[in-house]
Amino acid sequence: MTGLTSGTTAAQAAEHRHGGWGELAFGGFLLALGVVVFLDTRSLPPPNAASGIGPAFFPRVVAVVTVAIAVALLIQVLRGGHGDADEGEGDLDLSALHIRSALMVAGAIVMHSLLIDRAGYVITASLTFWAIAYAIGSRRYVRDALLSLVVAVVVYVVFTRGLSIRLPAGVLEAIF
Amino acid sequence: MEGISALLEGFAVALTVTNLLYALVGTTIGTLVGVLPGIGPALTIALLLPLTYGLEPASTLIMFAGIYYGAMYGGSTTSILLKTPGESGSIITAIDGNKMARGGRGAAALSTAAIGSFVAGAIATTVLAIAAPAIVNVAVKLGAHDYFALMVMAFLTVSALLGRSMLRGLASLALGLVVGLIGIDFQSGQARLDFGVVRLLDGVDIVLVIVGLFAIGEVLYVAAHQTNAAFTIASLQGSRWMSKDDWRRSWKPWLRGTAIGFPLGAIPAGGSEIPTFLSYSLEMKLSKHPEEFGQGAIEGVAGPEAANNANAAGVLVPLLTLGIPTSATAAVILVAFQQYGIQPGPQLLTTQSALVWGLIASLFIGNVMLLVLNLPLVGLWVKILQIPKPYLYAGITLFALLGAYTTNSSVFDIWVMGIVGALGYLMRRFGYPIAPLIVGAILGPLAELQLRRALDISAGNLSVLVSSPFSITVYAVLILALVLPKMLARRNAGAAHRNGTPVTG
C-alpha cells in the first residue's frame, strides 16, 4: 500500500497544500450556505405575531452567524492556519489518499440505493458487504463472498421475521 | 427526602424482569460498541431508534442509558489495548494505559479503569439522584428567556470546548443549526429551505444525520487514509492484575476523577474530553513520581477513566431536568424521549416520575452489570477486537444503510445519508468536530421555540433576553467558561507535550 510511505517532508508539504485548498473550499461552502439560508428567508411571509417575530427571524440569525463564522474561518485559513484532522480509530495517514478505496465505498452506497428496490435486500446487501470489505483491504474473495451472503441472509431473516420490519425480497421473493 | 422515596419507586420499575433484561442488553451492546473502533454510543442509539418504536418508553430509555454507560467502560479497553481511543473520553487513557499494556501490566490497567468507572458511576449516579429534584425546583421558575440563555450556553460550550479549534466547533454548530431549520416551521406552517423537495418538508431525519456523519463518514475516512488493514492489539497474556500497590495508587485518583467529571458534565459544559484532561494533569501534579506519567503511570488511567464515567452521569442532569443535551449521545437520547411524545424538562420529574426514577435506578443496576461484564469477561471483548477490520467496517456500513432505509422504506433517505456521510468525511479530514452539528440540529429548533416565546411575551423587545438575574448569570458564566478552560487546556497541552505526544494516529 502506498500509505506506508509517510513522514517525508515532501509528502507533508504536499499534504499541506492539498489541505489548504480543501480548507478554503470548506470555508467557501459555509459562506455560500449562509447566503442561501438568508436568501431563502425572503420567500417567507411577513410576521403576523404581535412581536414582529416571524418564521424568517431565526433563520436570519443563523444565516448571519454562519456567514460570520465562514468569513473568520477563511481569514484564518488564508493566514496559514489549518485544522488537525481527526485522530480516527486506527492507523491513519493523511499524506496518503486512497482515492480508489474511498470511491469504492461511495460507489457501494450508490449501488445499494439503486439496487435495493429492484434486486431485493439479500442480493444488494451481500454485494455491498463484499464491496466495502474489498475497499477496506480484504482480499480473501471466496471467504468474503460467503460471509457477505450469510450476513445478508441473517439480517434479512432477523428483521423481517423477528422484528416484523419490511425489507424488499426482490427477485428472491419465491424463496423468502 | 423526596428523592430517596422516588428512587425506591424507581427501583421497582427497574427491577422488573423485562427492564433488567433491557438493562443487560443495553450494557452489553454499550460495552461492545465502546470496544469496537469506528462505532460509538450516539451512532448505536440512532440506529436503534426506529427499532424501539413499539417498546415501552422505560425499557427503551433503560437500554439506551445502558449503552451510554457501557460505551464509557468499553472505550477504555480499546484505548489500553489498541491505543486507539474508542471514545473521545478515552483519548487520554490511551497514553499511559497502552504503555502499561505493552509493559505487561495490561490487566492492571483494565482493572483500574473498570473499577474506577464503577466507583465513579456509583457516586455520580447518587449525586444525580439527589441533585435532580433540587435543580427542578429552580428550573420550574425559569422563563423562556432563561431557557434560551441555557441553550445558548449549551451551543457555545459544546462547540467551543470540544476539539481544538473554537472556530471549527462553531462552524460545525452552524451547519447543525441550518440542518435544524429545514422543513415546515412549527408556528407559521411555512416551509423553510425545502428547495421544492417534498421529502424535505418534514425536515431531515436526525437518524440520517447521525448515521451519515458517524458511520458513513468514518468508513470513508478509514478507506481513504488507512495504512494498515489490521489492528495491532497488545496482548494480555501473562499480565498481572492489580497489585496492592496499584490499589493504593488508584483509589484517590478515582475519587478525584469523579469530583472533576461530574460537575463538568452537569453544568452544560459539553464534552467528556476536558474533564479527562483536567484529571490527568491534576494526577500528574499530585503524584510523587510525575516522571512516570506517559510511561505507564496507573494514576493516569484511574483518574481520567473515573472522570469520563462521572461525566456521563453529569450530562444526564441537564438532559433530565432542563431538556438540554450537552453531548451527541445525550442529544440522541433526547430524540428518543421525543419519539414517545415526551419533552424532557423540569416537568419531566413530576409527569414522568416512574420513567425518570426507573432510568436513574437502572443506572445503578447497569453499573454493577458493567463491572461484571468488563472485569471477569474482558477476555471476551479482547476476542471481539480480532474481527478483521474490513468486516467490521463492512458491517457498520450495512447497518447504517439498513437504518437509513427502514426508517421510511425509502431510497431517498439513503441518498440523504450518503451526502451527509461525505460531509462527515470532509469534517474529519479538516478537523471539524461532529458533536456540535448534532447538538445544533436537535437543540436548534427547541432554541428557536424558546426565543420566539420570549420575544412574543416582550412584544419583540430583545432586551428581554437579559432581563432576569438568571439569564445574566448564565451569560456571565458562559464568558468565563469559554476563557478559563482555554487557559487550562493550554497549560495542559504543554504538560502532555512534555510527556510524549498523546495519540498520534
Side-chain angles (χ1 to χ4, degrees), chain A residues 7-170:
Chain A
T8 59
T9 46
Q12 275 170 355
E15 191 245 316
H16 214 107
R17 277 200 303 277
H18 202 75
W21 280 111
E23 299 266 6
L24 281 179
F26 208 112
F29 167 72
L30 202 64
L31 186 66
L33 188 71
V35 173
V36 166
V37 171
F38 197 89
L39 292 180
D40 182 77
T41 61
R42 292 190 311 173
S43 64
L44 296 168
N48 50 12
S51 59
I53 305 296
F57 180 72
F58 193 66
R60 282 188 181 149
V61 174
V62 171
V64 169
V65 168
T66 306
V67 168
I69 292 167
V71 168
L73 207 55
L74 285 170
I75 291 172
Q76 195 196 48
V77 174
L78 289 173
R79 279 181 172 176
H82 64 98
D84 299 306
D86 187 38
E87 276 134 3
E89 315 264 2
D91 308 309
L92 295 170
D93 175 12
L94 288 169
S95 61
L97 177 64
H98 310 301
I99 194 89
R100 274 188 56 217
S101 303
L103 285 178
M104 206 177 292
V105 171
I109 293 165
V110 172
M111 179 198 71
H112 193 94
S113 72
L114 295 178
L115 274 185
I116 188 161
D117 282 335
R118 297 186 178 86
Y121 186 77
V122 172
I123 292 176
T124 311
S126 308
L127 288 172
T128 310
F129 191 96
W130 191 90
I132 305 280
Y134 181 89
I136 305 287
S138 185
R139 292 293 178 271
R140 301 178 65 169
Y141 305 114
V142 179
R143 190 179 80 171
D144 294 359
L146 284 174
L147 185 71
S148 302
L149 192 64
V150 170
V151 169
V153 169
V154 168
V155 168
Y156 183 82
V157 170
V158 167
F159 271 69
T160 53
R161 304 290 145 78
L163 299 165
S164 305
I165 288 171
R166 200 195 70 85
L167 287 171

Side-chain angles (χ1 to χ4, degrees), chain B residues 67-216:
Chain B
I67 292 174
Y68 188 28
Y69 268 32
M72 292 293 157
Y73 275 81
S76 61
T77 307
T78 324
S79 258
I80 291 166
L81 297 180
L82 274 184
K83 208 188 177 183
T84 56
E87 313 304 323
S88 60
S90 295
I91 287 174
I92 206 98
T93 309
I95 305 174
D96 284 86
N98 193 254
K99 274 270 158 57
M100 285 179 75
R102 295 195 186 282
R105 288 162 70 213
L110 289 171
S111 337
T112 197
I115 299 168
S117 297
F118 175 79
V119 171
I123 296 174
T125 311
T126 309
V127 181
L128 164 69
I130 296 167
I135 291 172
V136 164
N137 284 340
V138 178
V140 287
K141 299 189 187 88
L142 300 179
H145 52 286
D146 297 320
Y147 273 98
F148 182 72
L150 281 171
M151 285 168 180
V152 170
M153 184 181 203
F155 283 146
L156 289 184
T157 52
V158 168
S159 56
L161 289 186
L162 282 174
R164 265 160 234 140
S165 161
M166 188 183 282
L167 210 47
R168 274 153 221 282
L170 289 172
S172 169
L173 175 73
L175 284 172
L177 290 173
V178 172
V179 170
L181 287 175
I182 298 172
I184 291 178
D185 171 43
F186 57 93
Q187 276 183 354
S188 64
Q190 293 294 322
R192 296 191 300 204
L193 292 171
D194 63 317
F195 305 108
V197 181
V198 178
R199 292 297 310 268
L200 286 178
L201 288 177
D202 284 337
V204 177
D205 194 324
I206 198 68
V207 172
L208 301 176
V209 176
I210 293 165
V211 174
L213 286 176
F214 280 116
I216 305 299

Side-chain angles (χ1 to χ4, degrees), chain B residues 247-298:
Chain B
W247 279 92
R248 197 180 48 73
R249 289 175 60 175
S250 287
W251 72 272
K252 279 184 199 155
W254 290 339
L255 296 181
R256 286 193 288 254
T258 310
I260 292 172
F262 184 83
L264 283 178
I267 59 165
S272 53
E273 225 174 297
I274 301 288
T276 56
F277 284 8
L278 286 176
S279 163
Y280 189 86
S281 66
L282 178 71
E283 292 312 326
M284 192 158 68
K285 209 160 290 157
L286 294 175
S287 170
K288 287 191 193 87
H289 315 281
E291 72 283 354
E292 279 181 30
F293 279 75
Q295 306 304 322
I298 197 164

Side-chain angles (χ1 to χ4, degrees), chain B residues 292-314:
Chain B
E292 279 181 30
F293 279 75
Q295 306 304 322
I298 197 164
E299 293 93 340
V301 178
E305 276 306 312
N308 75 31
N309 265 62
N311 188 70

Side-chain angles (χ1 to χ4, degrees), chain B residues 348-368:
Chain B
L348 193 68
L349 246 60
T350 38
T351 57
Q352 299 285 344
S353 172
L355 176 66
V356 176
W357 289 106
L359 180 66
I360 294 174
S362 83
L363 293 175
F364 286 104
I365 299 163
N367 208 26
V368 177

